[in-house]
């Protein structure tokens, strides 16, 4: 694995504007990929999340979410340090858990598979539409790919991770638009807190359809924003 700086990726900043996560990229202020996905969630998914929070209790749900986010952040730092030939050591209980999870992803998902990478924590944007950050862009299993690492509290099924697939599709579309590449594969490398490794690869017709579905979500998001602004102007 080697770093090959083929492209000059933009420096950006993130902030909340009117409760939405936005990226400042150059002169543009663009909604994040996760903001768009959240704003266009199906009613079924919203109800499922609300039911889970009600079942476990709001305080406990917040603790579970915060712990997962912290563990995921540490796991990402460990993997990124490995790819850069550095060390990131965290001896807390959560840190040791994250180290074991990172090792599973490195051993099973990266070694002998990620030939080269063009950047880590790469800010990508589609001019005028959206922006986001992906973990790795590079050559994975011999193909130009977008690669994201995920932690999970429990094993995933493919049908549960549509949003993960749409994230990858969003990043691929943005990279292809700005850098004239032809990325046709997205990869999710996942490890649960109990150290179960999973990988999900999206390519071919499935990934083409994911790009189409993502653009529909973008269109839905902007239509919702336009209607909301019209409603405000009438009050």
């Amino acid at each position: 694995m080697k770093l090959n700086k083929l492209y000059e990726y933009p420096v950006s900043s993130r902030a909340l504007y009117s409760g939405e996560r936005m990226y400042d990229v150059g002169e543009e202020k663009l909604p994040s990929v996760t903001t768009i996905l959240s704003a266009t969630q199906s009613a079924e998914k919203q109800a499922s999340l609300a039911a889970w929070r009600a079942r476990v209790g709001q305080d406990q749900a917040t603790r579970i979410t915060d712990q997962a986010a912290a563990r995921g952040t540490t796991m990402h730092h460990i993997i990124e340090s490995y790819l850069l030939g550095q060390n990131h050591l965290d001896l807390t209980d959560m840190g040791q858990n994250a180290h074991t999870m990172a090792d599973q992803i490195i051993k099973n998902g990266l070694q002998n598979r990620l030939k080269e990478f063009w950047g880590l924590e790469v800010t990508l944007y589609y001019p005028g539409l959206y922006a986001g950050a992906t973990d790795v862009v590079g050559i994975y299993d011999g193909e130009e790919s977008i690669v994201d690492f995920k932690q999970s509290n429990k094993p995933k099924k493919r049908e549960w991770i549509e949003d993960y697939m749409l994230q990858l599709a969003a990043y691929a579309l943005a990279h292809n638009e700005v850098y004239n590449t032809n990325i046709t594969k997205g990869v999710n490398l996942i490890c649960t807190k109990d150290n179960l490794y999973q990988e999900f690869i999206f390519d071919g017709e499935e990934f083409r359809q994911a790009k189409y579905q993502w653009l529909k979500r973008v269109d839905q998001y902007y239509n919702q924003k336009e209607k909301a602004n019209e409603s405000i102007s009438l009050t």
Side-chain angles (χ1 to χ4, degrees), residues 112-201:
N112 302 316
R113 302 184 70 180
L114 183 65
K115 179 181 178 181
E116 68 176 49
F117 56 97
W118 308 330
L120 301 175
E121 271 296 304
V122 174
T123 295
L124 298 172
Y125 69 103
Y126 198 109
L129 291 182
Y130 62 85
T134 190
D135 294 326
V136 175
V137 185
I139 306 298
Y140 188 88
D141 285 344
E143 297 180 82
E144 296 182 353
S145 303
I146 300 289
V147 183
D148 256 4
F149 315 128
K150 302 288 187 185
Q151 80 85 42
S152 179
N153 288 335
K154 62 181 182 180
K156 299 293 188 184
K157 292 184 179 180
R158 198 176 188 89
E159 58 266 30
W160 296 349
I161 59 169
E162 180 186 21
D163 280 4
Y164 291 179
M165 178 177 67
L166 294 182
Q167 279 184 306
L168 296 168
Y171 300 145
L173 279 167
H175 202 286
N176 291 345
E177 174 68 16
V178 174
Y179 302 104
N180 196 32
T181 49
N182 184 33
I183 296 174
T184 59
K185 181 162 75 175
V187 181
N188 274 135
L189 304 178
I190 303 174
C191 190
T192 71
K193 64 180 182 179
D194 298 319
N195 301 318
L196 173 68
Y197 169 79
Q198 295 181 284
E199 67 180 52
F200 296 93
I201 294 177

Side-chain angles (χ1 to χ4, degrees), residues 3-22:
L3 175 60
N4 185 3
K5 295 185 178 180
L6 284 179
Y7 306 101
E8 189 69 32
Y9 295 114
V11 175
S12 70
S13 61
R14 290 174 283 187
L16 289 176
Y17 296 95
S18 301
E20 292 190 332
R21 190 184 195 188
M22 308 286 283

